[in-house]
Amino acid sequence: MTRSELIAVLLQKHPHLQVREATRLVNTIFGGIARSLANGQRVELRGFGAFSVKERDPRLGRNPKTGEQVQVSRKYVPFFKTGKELHQRLNSPHKKE
């Protein structure tokens, strides 16, 4: 699902909203999650999952074109762990294929 599809679903379920308002709501939510992660905070959406940031240590990598060894610096990557309800929903025997 893309951001625009999410906005469309929001508008369908709440017809009193205008496109501008729905777009602002979605952008506010995603912006809040991104700001929290950038500040090193964890974001938990009960029943859905938790977003956090993990640190990757510096390492020695390889340039795939030349095979030359290169130093890869330390970096931070987003991490998502599914919540119990979402995990159960994804693995239920009644899931639509």
Side-chain angles (χ1 to χ4, degrees):
M1 175 179 277
T2 64
R3 183 183 300 241
S4 58
E5 290 171 339
L6 180 60
I7 292 168
V9 169
L10 190 60
L11 289 169
Q12 186 179 19
K13 292 191 179 215
H14 301 279
H16 63 281
L17 288 175
Q18 295 179 4
V19 175
R20 186 177 68 240
E21 294 170 327
T23 302
R24 193 172 344 137
L25 285 169
V26 170
N27 289 339
T28 300
I29 292 167
F30 288 154
I33 291 171
R35 266 190 309 282
S36 294
L37 292 174
N39 291 329
Q41 298 172 323
R42 183 173 182 267
V43 178
E44 182 179 338
L45 304 171
R46 297 280 168 137
F48 183 71
F51 296 92
S52 60
V53 177
K54 290 201 173 201
E55 182 180 347
R56 290 207 179 146
D57 292 332
R59 62 184 174 84
L60 199 55
R62 289 200 182 273
N63 180 330
K65 276 189 175 179
T66 64
E68 177 187 353
Q69 288 187 341
V70 291
Q71 185 63 37
V72 179
S73 60
R74 175 182 70 180
K75 61 178 145 182
Y76 298 93
V77 293
F79 180 75
F80 178 75
K81 182 176 180 185
T82 58
K84 184 179 178 182
E85 289 176 36
L86 178 59
H87 184 76
Q88 288 173 345
R89 193 171 185 181
L90 292 173
N91 292 293
S92 79
H94 305 296
K95 180 179 135 183
K96 291 182 183 179
E97 297 288 326

